Amino acid sequence: MSSDTSMRKTPSSPVDENDSAVAKTVLFICNDLAYFKAHRSSIARGLLALGVRVHVCAAGSAKQAKSLPAGAVFHPVELERHAFDPISDFGFMRKCRDLVRQLDPDAVHLITIKPNVYGGLALSLRVIRRSPGMQPRRVVMTFPGLGRVFENGLGLTRRVRRILALSGLRRAARVLKVDATFENSADRDSLVKLGVYSPERTHLTFGAGIATAKFRPATVMRRGPLTYLFASRLLNAKGLGVFIEAARLCRLQGSDARFVVAGPLEQRNPDRFSQQALEAAASAGIVDFRGAVDDAEMPELLRSADVVCLPTRLSEGFPRILIEAAASGCALIASRQPSIAQIIEHGETGYMIDPSDVTDLLAAMTKLDAEPALARSMGANAADFTRRMPVDEVQVNETFMALYGLAV
């Protein structure tokens, strides 16, 4: 199975001598508050427990902020996540600049592509750097995937955006001495080859980690027809349409399996899956649509499934749902790409497929339908794998604590 040994170690980054001070204020800058809560609440709680002041700047509402870890201070910002918007993007840069001036943080952690580009530019501007004490000792950029701007086959507009994004990242890396974290070696190697980061300033983690104590296999062996689960954002690029079509074809073949869809419908996302098409599939009995599932409900939902499917066309960082599903004893069917090869050993913990070909997913489902015991055996293998790898959020948080300059 593919894995990178550097994921097993806490990094020791090259830093200046005056960088050794323990961080007392950490500012997180993220594109979306809901994303931050789902993926980074654990590290925020860990910092607060150490007496560190935690500030979170993200797009979101005061109502959403109520569920942040107690003590974290929320700074709302307007940010268009899914498109280039000069007015919104410039306002975001000003917000980043003003927060750094106001808070004088010891460490700034930028998360996802827009904060990395625009936040990095804001922090590297002379107006920030020339003021005493206004340059954070530590700047961390996290890439949970490289985003659409780095995908192949882009049109002229996106190619221009890619050039601009790379220029911004290079500037920030040079001026701020950024440490960059990635969720798979392919993404890391891509930006190293493009001259954005030097290898010694890059670090790999298994995503944001998961609370492994919550995600455990069912205590009673499952029997009977299989349950397939698609649990993700309900986007075309995540492969929801492929999943529904494969489910329909399985039904035509006489399958008595259950096909469950769970996740939020992102109305502002231009790639959102058609709500009408999803509701039609549910009405026809092809799928059971559960809607958005609360974090507290996800462990039980995964324990009720045998196979989790993610036929995504996106270049994923390290899909959290797959590691949660594996820890819960689910077999996995997901796209053939480097990040997913970190968790799926083809034929042992699941199958990797071509996401552009529904027949590939159908073939995997048909095989497991014919051999339910094989699917459940793969799920047991996947659970065993997660117990041997550093996927717990505590282990991942140690990496970030070190990058912030905190003793762990």
Side-chain angles (χ1 to χ4, degrees):
M1 180 175 296
S2 172
S3 64
D4 192 305
T5 55
S6 63
M7 286 188 172
R8 304 168 187 261
K9 300 184 294 182
T10 299
S12 54
S13 301
V15 295
D16 298 330
E17 289 183 4
N18 63 1
D19 241 6
S20 60
V22 172
K24 296 181 180 179
T25 300
V26 175
L27 169 62
F28 292 95
I29 301 176
C30 188
N31 65 343
D32 179 63
L33 184 59
Y35 178 90
F36 180 87
K37 290 192 300 178
H39 295 272
R40 304 294 164 177
S41 286
S42 173
I43 186 67
R45 284 193 296 269
L47 289 169
L48 290 163
L50 292 173
V52 176
R53 294 183 291 272
V54 173
H55 294 260
V56 180
C57 174
S61 67
K63 182 179 180 180
Q64 289 176 306
K66 290 180 180 179
S67 58
L68 280 172
V73 180
F74 175 54
H75 303 272
V77 66
E78 293 293 328
L79 180 64
E80 177 51 62
R81 293 172 54 198
H82 308 296
F84 175 68
D85 183 333
I87 296 176
S88 171
D89 294 342
F90 181 72
F92 176 68
M93 288 182 65
R94 290 187 61 184
K95 180 76 170 186
C96 294
R97 180 200 65 184
D98 292 346
L99 278 176
V100 171
R101 281 177 162 174
Q102 172 192 342
L103 301 173
D104 188 16
D106 299 89
V108 176
H109 188 169
L110 304 162
I111 304 169
T112 66
I113 189 66
K114 270 203 169 186
N116 287 340
V117 174
Y118 294 120
L121 279 172
L123 268 62
S124 65
L125 293 175
R126 288 184 180 179
V127 71
I128 293 291
R129 294 187 294 113
R130 70 186 179 192
S131 302
M134 283 301 181
Q135 185 173 343
R137 294 189 188 92
R138 304 286 182 110
V139 177
V140 180
M141 290 185 175
T142 289
F143 292 86
L146 296 184
R148 292 182 178 275
V149 71
F150 286 100
E151 291 179 3
N152 294 325
L154 302 178
L156 177 60
T157 300
R158 285 190 175 176
R159 286 202 298 272
V160 171
R161 290 179 190 172
R162 178 178 178 176
I163 292 170
L164 294 175
L166 285 170
S167 297
L169 291 173
R170 289 190 186 105
R171 174 182 172 81
R174 182 180 69 254
V175 172
L176 302 171
K177 297 181 180 179
V178 170
D179 281 290
T181 74
F182 299 87
E183 300 185 357
N184 64 79
S185 58
D187 288 351
R188 177 193 62 185
D189 294 346
S190 177
L191 292 193
V192 168
K193 289 177 181 177
L194 288 167
V196 177
Y197 303 108
S198 58
E200 64 271 16
R201 285 283 183 176
T202 64
H203 315 275
L204 292 174
T205 69
F206 273 111
I210 64 168
T212 53
K214 296 180 181 179
F215 294 94
R216 295 287 183 181
T219 55
V220 178
M221 175 68 72
R222 292 178 53 77
R223 301 184 183 280
L226 296 177
T227 295
Y228 295 90
L229 172 65
F230 177 98
S232 182
R233 293 182 295 152
L234 305 183
L235 306 178
N236 289 296
K238 285 286 188 178
L240 177 54
V242 173
F243 179 82
I244 291 174
E245 178 61 12
R248 186 185 71 82
L249 294 172
C250 280
R251 290 269 186 257
L252 290 177
Q253 293 177 169
S255 172
D256 54 1
R258 295 177 63 240
F259 300 91
V260 179
V261 173
L265 282 161
E266 298 186 346
Q267 298 297 341
R268 295 184 63 184
N269 194 320
D271 189 48
R272 65 188 178 277
F273 191 78
S274 165
Q275 183 173 351
Q276 183 180 7
L278 179 55
E279 291 174 348
S283 296
I286 297 171
V287 299
D288 174 10
F289 177 43
R290 301 288 184 85
V293 175
D294 186 83
D295 289 345
E297 300 173 317
M298 185 57 73
E300 194 57 40
L301 178 62
L302 288 170
R303 276 189 286 273
S304 72
D306 298 291
V307 184
V308 167
C309 302
L310 188 67
T312 177
R313 299 193 303 274
L314 293 176
S315 178
E316 302 283 349
F318 187 70
R320 184 188 186 100
I321 184 60
L322 294 184
I323 198 66
E324 290 177 345
S328 302
C330 298
L332 309 173
I333 304 177
S335 305
R336 189 177 290 105
Q337 54 178 272
S339 60
I340 290 172
Q342 294 175 148
I343 186 63
I344 297 183
E345 186 174 25
H346 191 77
E348 294 295 327
T349 61
Y351 297 117
M352 286 190 288
I353 61 168
D354 177 0
S356 62
D357 185 359
V358 70
T359 59
D360 216 6
L361 176 57
L362 177 62
M365 287 178 166
T366 300
K367 181 172 178 58
L368 294 181
D369 256 9
E371 302 179 73
L374 174 61
R376 288 160 182 150
S377 174
M378 286 181 169
N381 291 343
D384 182 63
F385 169 75
T386 62
R387 288 191 289 268
R388 293 183 280 107
M389 298 301 290
V391 298
D392 190 275
E393 61 189 11
V394 173
Q395 296 166 294
V396 174
N397 289 348
E398 288 178 355
T399 296
F400 289 104
M401 292 287 193
L403 293 176
Y404 303 152
L406 286 163
V408 291

